[in-house]
Amino acid sequence: MTCGGTRRRILSVVGARPNFMKIAPLVREFARFPAEFEQCLVHTGQHYDPAMSASFFRDLGIPAPDVDLEIGSGSHAEQVGRTMIAFEKVVQARKPDWVVVVGDVNATCACAITAKKEHVRLAHIEAGLRSFDLDMPEEINRLVTDRLSDLLFTTDAIADGNLRREGVPAERIRRVGNIMIDTLEQQRERARALDPRRIVEAQSLPGLARSAWPALTDDAFGVVTLHRPSNVDDRAVLAPLIDLLLGEIAAAMPVVWPVHPRTRKQLEAFGLWAAIVACPAVILTAPLGYLEMLRLTMGARVMLTDSGGLQEECCVLGTPCLTLRQNTERPVTLREDGGVSVLVGNDPARVRTAFRAALAGKRAAHRPPLWDGHTAERIVACFRELA
Ligand code: UD1
């Protein structure tokens, strides 16, 4: 893919793991109209480990990025600053008609600011989500990106309402549904064919392979993921959660935990890692690929997570989800709105109560309107109308 010629030039940006499943269906859909659009894919390189990045390109059939900015780790200012400096050169050289950003990571915000300062039109996919919590870096990224965007593609009516209240003109807002569910629907059958036990065997962390793995029968295991600074950066928060995991949750069922690099660093620094490794019912793995994670999510009896994307995937799959956060920018996934997710914060007593309730309850999938696997088609149709 290269930019150039008379067709409209679409420059799409990805940076971190949760972006890849959102961009895959979009790149594929734009490619169906080669006479109208030229695409250019930029990876900022915020996530760079093969398990956090390259495996998603392979599994989801995303073409290799045209440009890799190789930004890597750093403080927020370092990541955003380095991305802006590098992305500005790309925009100046490629001269796109549109820059398309997805989600709420540092790459999203950095490239949004840069695009607007270069007078390039900006589209944001997954606009209008609000946690109303400015302690979350993602909330800052969402606010800035939406304020600058010319086209705001939303997942649901609550997001539309948030944008309208902030004064975004109605004609810029297009409710198209959830593009991540396009990827889920496209990959569901491939994921279903995988065996959970094989997944954990293949992805076990170096030095943690076992001679016998517990059977991971559908509806009889749990999955944990944690990476948010509010959960993992403070020992006083993290240690009681680990006690609950090792004491009660792992006593009820085997638990698979794909460990985010940030979380592993913190568990080791806080002296909590050895106790987790020693617990036979907790299966620690490297960060999983998309298909592997989808397979475990569809089979899990319960999910404990602080990820926004998993909340949405659990909703459509019907997997009870305990969301270890005080708030969510995705209220449409909550039980009170018909979803499967319960906000439990990081207080072990609340997590315990909700865990017991989840075990006593039944699976029930919930599909919000337009979360139907056709969101990328609706987005590209908007661009075609704009001719
Ligand atoms: C980022 C996003 C978050 C998203 C999450 C998914 C922002 C502000 N946050 O958080 O919204 O839910 O990704 O994973 O953009 N690291 C590695 N290898 C990698 C990537 C990171 O070792 O491939 C390490 C870094 O050194 C750093 C830590 O993990 O210490 C955190 O990475 P960072 O990109 O800062 O943010 P995430 O916590 O992953």
Side-chain angles (χ1 to χ4, degrees):
M1 293 193 294
T2 49
C3 294
T6 56
R7 296 168 292 167
R8 269 173 299 158
R9 298 165 185 178
I10 308 286
L11 195 160
S12 307
V13 177
V14 288
R17 183 171 61 178
N19 293 162
F20 305 133
M21 44 289 230
K22 295 169 193 166
I23 218 69
L26 188 75
V27 168
R28 194 173 307 121
E29 183 64 14
F30 270 127
R32 293 207 307 124
F33 303 97
E36 295 173 51
F37 301 108
E38 273 181 61
Q39 297 196 69
C40 177
L41 182 61
V42 176
H43 188 345
T44 70
Q46 177 177 340
H47 283 176
Y48 48 86
D49 284 346
M52 302 286 286
S53 178
S55 79
F56 288 79
F57 279 75
R58 192 184 57 235
D59 288 352
L60 302 180
I62 307 171
D66 298 279
V67 182
D68 190 341
L69 303 180
E70 298 182 356
I71 297 305
S73 303
S75 71
H76 287 271
E78 286 168 343
Q79 279 187 337
V80 170
R82 286 203 297 260
T83 304
M84 288 179 67
I85 293 165
F87 189 63
E88 185 182 60
K89 296 186 177 70
V90 176
V91 174
Q92 288 170 351
R94 305 268 177 162
K95 299 189 175 16
D97 297 298
W98 284 93
V99 166
V100 179
V101 294
V102 297
D104 57 16
V105 302
N106 286 335
T108 312
C109 169
C111 294
I113 297 171
T114 309
K116 285 313 283 179
K117 291 205 168 188
E118 288 297 309
H119 310 291
V120 176
R121 282 178 294 174
L122 176 68
H124 182 207
I125 298 179
E126 208 184 75
L129 301 186
R130 296 289 181 268
S131 65
F132 304 101
D133 176 1
L134 282 170
D135 285 337
M136 282 180 74
E138 293 85 351
E139 184 72 355
I140 299 169
N141 293 340
R142 291 181 203 114
L143 285 165
V144 171
T145 304
D146 286 345
R147 183 67 188 82
L148 298 177
S149 292
D150 299 282
L151 254 185
L152 298 98
F153 293 108
T154 61
T155 50
D156 58 71
I158 301 170
D160 292 9
N162 291 335
L163 293 173
R164 297 292 291 131
R165 269 191 299 282
E166 290 170 15
V168 177
E171 63 272 16
R172 291 195 192 172
I173 304 171
R174 307 291 167 92
R175 194 187 318 160
V176 290
N178 191 335
I179 199 163
M180 230 177 55
I181 305 304
D182 289 19
T183 296
L184 186 151
E185 295 301 343
Q186 279 156 12
Q187 304 298 341
R188 202 190 256 262
E189 294 313 314
R190 277 176 79 200
R192 201 189 302 281
L194 302 177
D195 174 355
R197 178 146 53 169
R198 289 258 167 79
I199 293 172
V200 302
E201 268 171 20
Q203 299 298 330
S204 68
L205 288 168
L208 298 189
R210 299 184 186 172
S211 48
W213 296 88
L216 294 175
T217 314
D218 277 347
D219 264 340
F221 65 90
V223 176
V224 174
T225 85
L226 281 181
H227 76 278
R228 288 198 184 273
S230 55
N231 285 328
V232 306
D233 284 3
D234 181 354
R235 192 183 197 283
V237 170
L238 190 53
L241 288 174
I242 300 302
D243 282 346
L244 176 71
L245 174 70
L246 303 184
E248 178 156 349
I249 296 174
M253 60 180 65
V255 175
V256 183
W257 184 353
V259 188
H260 189 287
R262 166 195 287 279
T263 310
R264 178 167 186 172
K265 278 181 205 162
Q266 298 298 65
L267 289 166
E268 288 175 341
F270 296 151
L272 299 168
W273 183 248
I276 304 170
V277 168
C279 179
V282 176
I283 304 166
L284 296 164
T285 73
L288 297 178
Y290 180 81
L291 291 170
E292 287 81 8
M293 193 65 205
L294 179 57
R295 178 63 186 88
L296 293 182
T297 305
M298 46 171 79
R301 182 76 194 81
V302 61
M303 168 73 68
L304 293 98
T305 188
D306 57 9
S307 148
L310 280 169
Q311 263 172 263
E312 296 180 333
E313 288 162 344
C314 284
C315 199
V316 168
L317 296 169
T319 306
C321 178
L322 310 191
T323 302
L324 287 117
R325 295 176 48 188
Q326 311 294 349
N327 49 49
T328 177
E329 61 288 339
R330 294 164 161 92
V332 75
T333 65
L334 293 177
R335 285 272 282 276
E336 42 270 44
D337 209 6
V340 299
S341 164
V342 185
L343 285 179
V344 292
N346 48 28
D347 166 18
R350 277 172 73 195
V351 182
R352 180 182 295 111
T353 306
F355 176 69
R356 290 176 183 167
L359 294 195
K362 287 205 179 98
R363 297 181 77 88
H366 170 62
R367 193 183 288 277
L370 301 180
W371 293 28
D372 57 359
H374 298 287
T375 292
E377 290 162 43
R378 286 187 281 269
I379 292 173
V380 171
C382 287
F383 279 100
R384 297 187 74 204
E385 278 164 24
L386 286 169

